[in-house]
Amino acid sequence: MAGILLGVTGGIAAYKSLDVLRILQRHGHDVMVVMTTAAQRFVGTASFAALSGREVGTALFGASEQPGYHHLDVARDRDLMLICPASANTIAKLAAGMADSLLGSCYIAFAGPVLVAPAMNTQMWLHPAQQENLERLRRHGVEIIDPASGLLADGAVGPGRLADPQDIVDAVERRLAAPGGEGPLAGRRVLVTAGGTREPIDAVRYVGNRSSGRMGWAIADAARARGAEVTVVAANVDLPRRPDVRYVEAPTAAAMHRACLAEFPAADLLAMVAAVADYRPVRRAEGKLDKSAADALAVQLERTDDILADLAARRRPGQVLVGFAAEHGPQGLDRARDKRRRKGVDVVVHNDAAVEGAAFEGPDNIITIIGPGDAEEALPRMTKRDCAERILDAAQALVGAAPAGSAP
Ligand code: CTP
């Protein structure tokens, strides 16, 4: 997708940039690595060369028999530069525009967007010199990916720990997908439902399910990274919210139905990931039920509306619908295939809730993507984010074939 220049500087977190490199490559980016001399004391060039499939740039001057300007050649044709981890020393040099290393000269020779992910000891991070240097970089248009707080390599607790590799890649892809930027879903609106609805029994109790919202969150992240405008209708999700996604809270099946009816007309793609209750208590008791009133309690349940089927019946030409089928046991795949036809959706994502590592709560999932058409893809266990990428790969082709959604 994009050509990225990854600058690695000296710090214990240098090994984490191997993870960043791997995620970038999984997302289809072409990564070229430049390392400072100090970085090579922490991780060898061989690891970065093997993973990137390219020679790693280390020296300011190329082999003497090579013509041209080495630092300009390295920076040429790259879409974005990411410096990760960025040490206090490198940040100071970049802020001053010093070009005494290949990385430093690439930086001032590079006209595209630059992101810097610092990692250092808390005292160094908080030092006024460091903060002034960061401020200077921001003024120069550099985006700083703030470090996380936590236990640092030196045993101290505080800010300075390199941000999570996936968050760093998200920041890179957000930047690539920024207005005027690229992305296969740029200009498209994606609506995602996530979490699990809770149907009240009384003021404090409910009928609910184990859905955490992670799968829906992963689809929202992946769609944003592909340049889409994303709205998430969330049912009871306790996960971090991102500033560039719009969230609509919908704690019950009825609230989710209302929110989806309002949001769906403007969407080009709907991913109905939420675990919507199929039944809800007929009556919600006033206040809190008192257990001294009876030895047994029967709660009568009634069916909720099938939101996905309702939206599918209202779809306008060009809208793409993805449903989920959390099934249990060996007949599940057939039921999921049938669900796709019955609900009138383009793609159904099947997972078997009986299998360890699939479906609820955890970071991973094991899915089969059914559709579009006769296509069917059974995937091995992978992170929910990777599942999200594969689901969007399947649905995106259909979105590409349709005219862009009309603004509400
Ligand atoms: N769904 C929905 N509204 C409901 C129930 C489910 O929109 N009231 C959506 C889910 O978000 C999911 C898909 O329908 O995308 C499949 O949900 P699931 O509960 O597995 O299927 P059901 O329709 O309940 O089918 P069945 O119970 O017959 O297996």
Side-chain angles (χ1 to χ4, degrees):
M1 297 234 291
I4 293 167
L5 181 59
L6 173 61
V8 184
T9 79
I12 293 178
Y15 74 94
K16 293 188 186 169
S17 69
L18 289 168
D19 274 344
V20 172
L21 168 59
R22 284 176 50 214
I23 300 172
L24 286 169
Q25 287 197 308
R26 268 210 314 269
H27 293 191
H29 301 297
D30 169 37
V31 186
M32 183 186 274
V33 180
V34 165
M35 297 176 80
T36 61
T37 311
Q40 294 166 60
R41 300 189 65 144
F42 292 89
V43 183
T45 53
S47 304
F48 285 98
L51 287 180
S52 69
R54 287 171 169 277
E55 199 181 325
V56 172
T58 53
L60 185 51
F61 299 100
S64 55
E65 65 273 19
Q66 279 175 0
Y69 302 89
H70 191 42
H71 55 290
L72 301 183
D73 292 341
V74 170
R76 185 171 298 136
D77 298 334
R78 298 282 104 187
D79 299 301
L80 180 145
M81 183 171 185
L82 167 68
I83 301 170
C84 165
S87 64
N89 182 46
T90 292
I91 287 168
K93 287 184 168 184
L94 298 181
M98 283 176 68
D100 62 347
S101 67
L102 178 60
L103 192 150
S105 33
C106 283
Y107 168 71
I108 53 169
F110 184 64
V114 180
L115 282 80
V116 165
M120 65 196 70
N121 153 280
T122 298
Q123 289 311 320
M124 293 167 85
W125 171 253
L126 294 174
H127 195 284
Q130 171 66 22
Q131 290 301 319
E132 277 170 27
N133 288 334
L134 288 166
E135 205 34 58
R136 207 151 151 198
L137 285 183
R138 284 194 190 93
R139 280 205 306 278
H140 297 169
V142 172
E143 181 175 335
I144 310 296
I145 304 168
D146 278 338
S149 267
L151 181 63
L152 300 173
D154 61 7
V157 176
R161 200 165 74 173
L162 185 72
D164 181 69
Q166 180 66 60
D167 292 342
I168 293 171
V169 173
D170 281 347
V172 165
E173 293 187 327
R174 256 200 312 279
R175 188 60 181 260
L176 290 169
E182 289 295 294
L185 288 175
R188 303 290 183 168
R189 290 161 194 248
V190 172
L191 176 62
V192 183
T193 67
T197 68
R198 294 176 181 175
E199 312 302 325
I201 297 171
D202 65 12
V204 296
R205 302 180 179 92
Y206 57 83
V207 179
N209 61 70
R210 285 166 46 205
S211 175
S212 65
R214 282 200 178 85
M215 192 62 237
W217 249 235
I219 291 191
D221 286 342
R224 250 327 274 138
R226 292 174 186 226
E229 210 177 290
V230 179
T231 299
V232 174
V233 177
N236 311 297
V237 180
D238 186 20
L239 292 172
R241 312 269 154 138
R242 45 189 297 169
D244 55 353
V245 164
R246 197 162 67 85
Y247 298 89
V248 179
E249 304 301 326
T252 63
M256 180 157 285
H257 199 174
R258 279 195 300 278
C260 285
L261 285 174
E263 301 295 335
F264 181 62
D268 295 298
L269 169 66
L270 165 73
M272 190 81 200
V273 195
V276 184
D278 288 320
Y279 295 92
R280 71 170 149 245
V282 172
R283 264 184 315 280
R284 174 191 167 146
E286 283 295 314
K288 187 180 165 213
L289 285 168
D290 181 2
K291 70 170 177 295
S292 63
D295 283 341
L297 173 68
V299 177
Q300 199 190 347
L301 303 174
E302 65 183 4
R303 287 288 296 269
T304 58
D305 295 328
D306 189 322
I307 303 170
L308 184 56
D310 184 31
L311 297 179
R314 296 164 189 263
R315 77 198 294 185
R316 59 174 164 73
Q319 282 183 306
V320 179
L321 279 75
V322 178
F324 275 67
E327 302 290 349
H328 212 273
Q331 308 308 318
L333 254 180
D334 276 340
R335 281 199 297 272
R337 292 183 187 115
D338 179 56
K339 210 166 273 183
R340 190 170 83 89
R341 283 188 291 275
R342 211 165 19 90
K343 298 206 184 200
V345 299
D346 303 290
V347 173
V348 159
V349 180
H350 164 271
N351 55 22
D352 187 344
V355 176
E356 181 74 23
F360 295 115
E361 288 161 342
D364 295 342
N365 212 344
I366 305 170
I367 60 169
T368 299
I369 301 174
I370 304 168
D374 293 332
E376 203 165 303
E377 195 182 9
L379 297 170
R381 179 177 180 153
M382 55 176 71
T383 65
K384 288 184 173 171
R385 176 57 186 268
D386 285 341
C387 290
E389 300 290 349
R390 306 295 280 266
I391 293 163
L392 287 184
D393 285 346
Q396 195 171 282
L398 302 175
V399 177
S406 54

